[in-house]
Amino acid sequence: MASVAATVGDLKTLLAKLDSEVCHVPARLPGVNALERMLTLILQVGKSYTMAEKSVAALQEAFGDWNGVRVARLYEVADVLQAKRISAGFERADLAQEFLRRVFGLQNHLEIDWLYDATGERRQKFLDSLQMAPIHTAAVLDLDAMEEPGVPVCNELKRLFSRLGFVKSNPKEADVRELLNPLVEEEEMFPHFLCLRMLANLGCD
C-alpha cells in the first residue's frame, strides 16, 4: 500500500479534477439559523453559494419572516428576486416556497435548529423526509454542527477510501482520519469534505 503522503497527494489530484462550484460553501456565519442555511443550499441550484446568499437576503428584507415567504403568492416571491437581478428568480422562488412548505408540513413550524444537536442519522432522516435537499446538505450540516476539532468520519467515507484502495476493508476511523485530515485543513475544509462526501454518496451505493 502506498505511503500516506503519496495517497494524500493522489486524493488531492482527484479532488482538483472533481472541483465544483457547488462545493465552495463557506462556514456558517453567526446568526444564520439552520432554516436559512438549508434554504441557501437549496437556492444554490448547483451553482454559486454567493448568489444563493443574495437570494436569501433579498427575501428576508422583503418579507421580514420566513412564514411570510411560505404563504405569499409565487409571483410575489419571484418578483423580489427578479428585482434584485438574481438569475433563475422564478425557479429559486418556487424552490424557496416548496422547501418552507415541506418543513412546515413535517413539523407544523419552521424552527429546525434542533438539527445541530441531532445525530447524523436523525439529520439524514429529516433530509430524506424533505425529498428535496441537495446532495451536499448533510455534509454541510455535519460540519456546521461540529463541536470538536476534526471533521466527522462517517461510514460513507470509510467505504469510499476502502473502494479506492487507500485503506483496508472495514477500516478503523484512525486510518481514514490519517488520510482525511491533511485534505481538510483551513480553507480546504468545506470544498474538499463536501466533494468527498458527494463522491461517496454517488459512487459507493
Side-chain angles (χ1 to χ4, degrees), residues 4 32 95 131 139 147 149 159 163 182:
V4 170
V32 175
L95 285 170
Q131 297 184 330
E147 295 182 354
R159 186 163 58 245
R163 292 187 179 180

Side-chain angles (χ1 to χ4, degrees), residues 14-67:
L14 173 64
L15 290 169
K17 291 179 179 179
L18 296 175
D19 186 43
S20 169
E21 187 177 23
V22 74
C23 293
H24 289 264
V25 175
R28 182 169 62 107
L29 295 173
V32 175
N33 61 39
L35 185 79
E36 292 160 358
R37 181 66 151 172
M38 279 194 63
L39 178 58
T40 309
L41 296 174
I42 286 170
L43 297 188
Q44 272 188 275
V45 291
K47 298 178 182 177
S48 164
Y49 190 87
T50 301
M51 183 60 72
E53 278 186 312
K54 185 178 178 181
S55 304
V56 171
L59 295 176
Q60 281 181 314
E61 180 183 356
F63 291 93
D65 67 78
W66 294 112
N67 197 56

Side-chain angles (χ1 to χ4, degrees), residues 62-202:
F63 291 93
D65 67 78
W66 294 112
N67 197 56
V69 178
R70 179 179 71 88
V71 300
R73 294 182 181 275
L74 176 58
Y75 77 83
E76 294 174 323
V77 181
D79 283 350
V80 169
L81 300 180
Q82 290 167 348
K84 295 288 186 179
R85 297 187 177 182
I86 292 170
S87 62
F90 192 89
E91 178 187 1
R92 286 188 161 106
D94 191 35
L95 285 170
Q97 287 198 306
E98 184 64 24
F99 167 65
L100 294 169
R101 288 168 180 169
R102 290 191 187 196
V103 171
F104 191 86
L106 285 172
Q107 54 182 31
N108 207 35
H109 60 81
L110 293 176
E111 195 284 309
I112 56 173
D113 277 351
W114 58 266
L115 285 170
Y116 292 131
D117 298 319
T119 62
E121 290 77 13
R122 190 179 177 205
R123 278 197 294 273
Q124 189 59 56
K125 184 177 180 180
F126 178 74
L127 298 181
D128 290 342
S129 298
L130 283 176
Q131 297 184 330
M132 67 177 299
I135 191 172
H136 63 312
T137 304
V140 172
L141 293 178
D142 283 352
L143 290 179
D144 286 349
M146 280 192 318
E147 295 182 354
E148 299 178 359
V151 299
V153 174
C154 59
N155 289 332
E156 289 86 355
L157 286 179
K158 291 181 179 180
R159 186 163 58 245
L160 173 66
F161 282 14
S162 174
R163 292 187 179 180
L164 288 173
F166 294 143
V167 294
K168 298 176 181 178
S169 298
N170 300 315
K172 297 178 181 178
E173 179 175 325
D175 295 333
V176 175
R177 193 170 292 286
E178 187 177 26
L179 300 175
L180 182 62
N181 285 350
L183 300 172
V184 292
E185 296 174 340
E186 300 178 355
E187 70 276 2
E188 293 178 333
M189 177 185 289
F190 272 84
H192 282 182
F193 184 74
L194 300 191
C195 188
L196 285 169
R197 284 282 295 270
M198 290 171 69
L199 180 62
N201 289 335
L202 290 171

